[in-house]
Amino acid sequence: MGALDMNTAEDAVVAHTREVVPGMVICGMEVAEVDGCPRMGPTFGAMFMSGQKAAHCAMNSLKRQAAAAKTAKPASKKAAIAA
């Protein structure tokens, strides 16, 4: 995590909010910790925007996972019994 720099941190935290691995979305201070960008001070606007972006990322991830589950071929009964 970088030094306190609210002006740089606000933009960086929102811009770097994302899904890092399938199903795991980072936002806010986690972004600063993972990416090493400047940490934020007591600001509310960027934390709110980062959380809002994280919610959209999570919704897209869930939609993608649901679509993948629909298109996945069901396992045969023999394979299920063998397991």
Side-chain angles (χ1 to χ4, degrees):
M1 187 176 330
L4 175 65
D5 181 357
M6 289 186 290
N7 295 329
T8 304
E10 286 195 346
D11 294 334
V13 165
V14 175
H16 294 194
T17 296
R18 67 191 182 282
E19 184 176 20
V20 289
V21 295
M24 182 178 178
V25 177
I26 62 169
C27 67
M29 293 301 289
E30 289 84 11
V31 170
E33 189 65 36
V34 169
D35 293 340
C37 60
R39 67 182 183 90
M40 295 174 56
T43 62
F44 178 73
M47 296 299 272
F48 179 78
M49 290 170 44
S50 179
Q52 200 170 29
K53 184 176 177 182
H56 288 285
C57 288
M59 286 182 1
N60 289 336
S61 177
L62 290 171
K63 288 177 186 176
R64 192 173 53 251
Q65 291 173 25
K70 284 183 181 179
T71 60
K73 295 180 182 177
S76 67
K77 288 188 179 184
K78 287 183 183 178
I81 293 170

